Amino acid sequence: MFIQNRSTFYHDNTVEYDESDWTNEINRLRDRVELLEKVVSNFPGGLSLFDENLQMVLCNYRQFEMLEYTDDLLQNGLPTMEELFRYNAERGEYGPGDVEMHVRRRMALAKKQLQHCYERERPNGDVLEIRGAPLEGGGFVTTYTDVTERRRDQDLIEHLTRHDALTCLTNRMLFNDRLELATAQVRRGATIAVHMVNLDNFRQVNEEFGRRTGDEVLKLFAQRLRATVRDTDTVARLDGDEFGVIQTGVPEPENAMRLADRILDVLDRPLEVDGNQIRLTCSCGIVLAPEQGTDPDELMTKVDLAVYKSRSCGGRQFNFYTEDIVRKPAVNG
């Protein structure tokens, strides 16, 4: 099928059309082009098209806006893919590193003509989902979607599912995951201490001042506890007034003892809530790994016995787990 000339006829070797048929066909093609232009213009994200020579032949306004293209990019018309990569690399879109290295790496991938989808965080913090699809005969069509809000929502959901809503500390689920990782390291030669911390007589705070004050007490204690440990350690609110710490790099029991002393000292200053000065103490239990096991469940059972011993002996003290600790009736908190 081909167009011979405008004044005669349009044929496919079997059927001839008169001038009106030819005009109708042109109008249909014009309508399709206008429809395509509307689709490209109203596409909610960025959209660009590269031909078989990787020369950009189409790019909608949304892409220029989203990626903050400047006039420098367009001074010689639409850029080639290589020019676009170099432009982005020079303005830091791909992060630190040699500009030509970024260009070579991306051009090598483009020439493989592979379909792809990935997210890229821009220097301004926006997150773009970039999808590219090769076209038959060469070339690429690429779309850009701003997924910044979606990423923030996902990060928030992830944070809420793995952190305590009241104190913002790690919750029990994430603490258990971290303990699994820590004990795996122990089996390869690392050393850790697991601390369990309970507030002594915390129930009385709720009874005397109310639950809202009790919640504020937990938040203030959590802040002090977080400030007491290293960034490499994990601090979690496990349940109620029960907190856990995974202390990494503990070559000697004395390292764990020093941290436990600091934890006990965080309540030497009273907690001030709504004009009330609330004085509390805490009890701590400690278990060492690998000396006292490498299984997370076993370590948690043993540290629970150790903190029970501290509470049953009057509180404001710490105890290491020992084999002679026997579970007794629960101590009221």
Side-chain angles (χ1 to χ4, degrees):
M1 183 178 294
F2 61 94
I3 299 176
Q4 182 173 343
N5 65 59
R6 181 172 180 176
S7 62
T8 55
F9 53 84
Y10 172 90
H11 71 89
D12 61 359
N13 296 325
T14 58
V15 181
E16 294 189 356
Y17 299 92
D18 60 22
E19 180 72 18
S20 62
D21 289 331
W22 187 90
T23 301
N24 290 336
E25 184 67 18
I26 292 295
N27 288 335
R28 283 195 293 271
L29 290 174
R30 183 181 293 114
D31 289 342
R32 291 179 183 178
V33 170
E34 290 177 354
L35 178 61
L36 177 60
E37 289 176 344
K38 289 179 181 179
V39 170
V40 171
S41 298
N42 292 282
F43 185 72
L47 187 150
S48 60
L49 177 66
F50 292 84
D51 64 17
E52 66 275 9
N53 297 315
L54 299 182
Q55 167 70 50
M56 182 184 284
V57 295
L58 180 151
C59 185
N60 68 351
Y61 177 75
R62 178 61 180 139
Q63 179 168 332
F64 278 83
E65 181 183 59
M66 184 186 300
L67 281 92
E68 301 175 297
Y69 291 158
T70 63
D71 293 340
D72 293 343
L73 179 64
L74 304 175
Q75 60 185 354
N76 298 316
L78 291 175
T80 65
M81 184 175 287
E82 182 173 351
E83 289 170 339
L84 180 60
F85 286 155
R86 185 170 289 107
Y87 170 80
N88 281 333
E90 288 174 345
R91 64 187 184 137
E93 288 290 319
Y94 305 139
D98 180 70
V99 169
E100 294 306 316
M101 177 198 69
H102 283 301
V103 174
R104 286 194 301 272
R105 184 157 60 88
R106 283 167 171 76
M107 285 301 297
L109 289 174
K111 290 175 180 178
K112 291 182 178 180
Q113 291 281 298
L114 299 176
Q115 186 169 332
H116 56 267
C117 176
Y118 63 94
E119 290 185 359
R120 188 178 91 212
E121 183 171 349
R122 299 195 62 229
N124 65 4
D126 290 347
V127 181
L128 303 181
E129 180 185 80
I130 302 172
R131 292 177 177 269
L135 301 175
E136 186 176 353
F140 256 101
V141 61
T142 306
T143 62
Y144 297 78
T145 306
D146 189 333
V147 295
T148 308
E149 291 301 321
R150 187 176 73 190
R151 168 73 74 82
R152 288 173 182 165
D153 291 343
Q154 290 172 342
D155 290 346
L156 177 60
I157 292 171
E158 175 71 11
H159 179 84
L160 292 175
T161 58
R162 300 176 75 80
H163 291 79
D164 176 58
L166 178 65
T167 65
C168 293
L169 293 179
T170 296
N171 63 13
R172 183 180 287 275
M173 180 176 71
L174 183 52
F175 182 85
N176 289 340
D177 288 346
R178 296 273 178 84
L179 187 55
E180 288 276 1
L181 292 174
T183 52
Q185 292 292 325
V186 166
R187 289 189 285 272
R188 292 193 287 268
T191 56
I192 65 169
V194 182
H195 303 249
M196 185 177 289
V197 184
N198 282 154
L199 292 174
D200 298 325
N201 302 313
F202 175 71
R203 184 180 298 174
Q204 296 176 10
V205 175
N206 283 331
E207 292 174 351
E208 183 174 352
F209 300 100
R211 185 169 295 278
R212 191 182 73 83
T213 297
D215 287 346
E216 290 300 313
V217 166
L218 292 173
K219 288 164 64 176
L220 290 172
F221 175 71
Q223 293 171 11
R224 294 187 185 182
L225 183 59
R226 174 69 268 181
T228 301
V229 305
R230 301 166 302 174
D231 291 339
T232 54
D233 299 331
T234 297
V235 183
R237 183 187 179 203
L238 302 178
D239 186 27
D241 64 337
E242 181 179 270
F243 297 80
V245 177
I246 302 172
Q247 181 186 7
T248 58
V250 187
E252 301 292 339
E254 287 75 13
N255 297 89
M257 292 171 62
R258 285 194 290 270
L259 176 57
D261 275 328
R262 294 198 301 272
I263 292 173
L264 297 181
D265 289 343
V266 298
L267 291 174
D268 280 351
R269 290 178 291 111
L271 301 165
E272 294 190 11
V273 180
D274 295 334
N276 298 308
Q277 289 198 340
I278 299 173
R279 294 184 177 274
L280 283 173
T281 60
C282 60
S283 299
C284 184
I286 309 170
V287 63
L288 301 173
E291 289 88 340
Q292 293 165 328
T294 58
D295 177 74
D297 292 337
E298 178 187 6
L299 293 174
M300 291 302 293
T301 297
K302 289 179 176 179
V303 76
D304 184 56
L305 291 170
V307 75
Y308 174 81
K309 180 176 180 180
S310 296
R311 299 184 71 188
S312 63
C313 292
R316 206 198 182 286
Q317 60 181 278
F318 66 82
N319 279 277
F320 285 90
Y321 170 79
T322 59
E323 295 295 336
D324 61 352
I325 294 179
V326 179
R327 169 69 76 179
K328 295 181 181 180
V331 176
N332 290 334

